[in-house]
Amino acid sequence: MSLVKLNIKGISYSQTQNGAYALILNEVDGERKLPIVIGAFEAQSIAIALEKEIKPPRPLTHDLFKNFADRFEIVVKQVIIHKLVDGVFYSSIICERDKIEEIIDARTSDAIALALRFDAPIFTYKNILDKAGIYLKFSPKDEKEKDSIIVEEVISKEDKPSSDDSSYRSHSLQELHELLDGAVRNEDYEKAAKIRDEISRREPKSK
């Protein structure tokens, strides 16, 4: 079976299902999206790996695994989402040490969190993408609308901004940066992500 390379399109939080997040994977050489429901901890870990500006004061579990693997010269070569049963995705982490390759079973969310930290590619099999992928044809100018529809299909059709999100709109940029620093120090990464989103809306060209 042929492998299809994926990259991470984004993560969305459900306002209707407490603690539920949708991780959206994008087919590299195509238009299909592969949506995967993940837990809050894994979503936080993936978001931190994607958001380079948020640095946790202590290593998260996946950071600890990366440090451990580096110390013992274990390299994650790639991640393969190899099975889909009753809506649950199963993955394998392909590792190498001393030129010996090992395959380790993992939850897909954990596997992807580690793939990000090792800069390892993510793949799935074509038959899985054929079965669970979402293909929506839009013009380039409708890209944002397309992403919105995908998230609605995966999590909820009635997502609305939370009261926490709206409360940050009354703060100045300086106050938002101070709140972000405080959230990171307190290891409240869900709050930090929301504040970061508000800062990004104010500073769309910031890096």
Side-chain angles (χ1 to χ4, degrees):
M1 292 183 287
S2 60
L3 288 172
V4 179
K5 190 174 182 179
L6 305 169
N7 58 25
I8 296 175
K9 179 68 175 177
I11 301 174
S12 180
Y13 175 64
S14 171
Q15 303 295 331
T16 58
Q17 298 182 37
N18 188 33
Y21 290 78
L23 172 65
I24 310 297
L25 300 175
N26 188 71
E27 181 182 16
V28 170
D29 295 320
E31 294 296 322
R32 286 176 294 183
K33 307 290 186 289
L34 188 65
I36 301 174
V37 176
I38 61 176
F41 173 78
E42 292 77 17
Q44 170 184 292
S45 182
I46 291 170
I48 287 172
L50 290 170
E51 177 55 76
K52 305 300 183 185
E53 293 183 33
I54 297 179
K55 300 292 184 183
R58 296 182 298 170
L60 301 179
T61 302
H62 298 110
D63 298 318
L64 176 61
F65 184 96
K66 173 65 163 60
N67 295 339
F68 183 90
D70 287 345
R71 183 67 58 89
F72 290 94
E73 299 181 346
I74 300 168
V75 178
V76 171
K77 302 291 292 295
Q78 62 183 11
V79 163
I80 300 176
I81 304 170
H82 64 83
K83 187 167 66 173
L84 173 61
V85 179
D86 297 330
V88 177
F89 293 90
Y90 295 79
S91 293
S92 296
I93 300 173
I94 314 301
C95 303
E96 184 179 279
R97 182 174 184 266
D98 293 335
K99 298 183 179 180
I100 299 174
E101 191 173 273
E102 299 285 351
I103 301 175
I104 301 174
D105 288 334
R107 295 186 305 171
T108 297
S109 53
D110 288 330
I112 290 173
L114 290 173
L116 282 169
R117 286 161 170 82
F118 283 89
D119 292 322
I122 303 166
F123 297 93
T124 192
Y125 288 110
K126 184 178 180 297
N127 65 323
I128 293 178
L129 197 57
D130 290 341
K131 182 178 180 180
I134 297 173
Y135 180 84
L136 297 172
K137 188 174 182 181
F138 284 80
S139 63
K141 67 179 181 179
D142 294 326
E143 185 71 20
K144 291 183 180 178
E145 181 182 352
K146 176 172 63 175
D147 294 340
S148 175
I149 289 174
I150 292 171
V151 170
E152 286 175 353
E153 288 189 2
V154 175
I155 298 183
S156 170
K157 294 184 178 180
E158 297 181 356
D159 281 358
K160 297 178 181 178
S162 68
S163 57
D164 285 344
D165 292 339
S166 1
S167 68
Y168 297 127
R169 295 175 187 171
S170 61
H171 290 80
S172 68
L173 274 174
Q174 181 178 347
E175 290 171 336
L176 287 172
H177 282 289
E178 291 172 356
L179 287 171
L180 177 61
D181 291 341
V184 172
R185 281 196 303 272
N186 294 328
E187 301 183 34
D188 188 346
Y189 301 116
E190 184 174 338
K191 180 179 178 181
K194 291 178 181 178
I195 298 170
R196 184 69 227 173
D197 288 344
E198 180 61 28
I199 292 174
S200 297
R201 278 192 286 271
R202 309 267 192 98
E203 302 176 338
K205 294 182 181 180
S206 65
K207 295 182 179 180

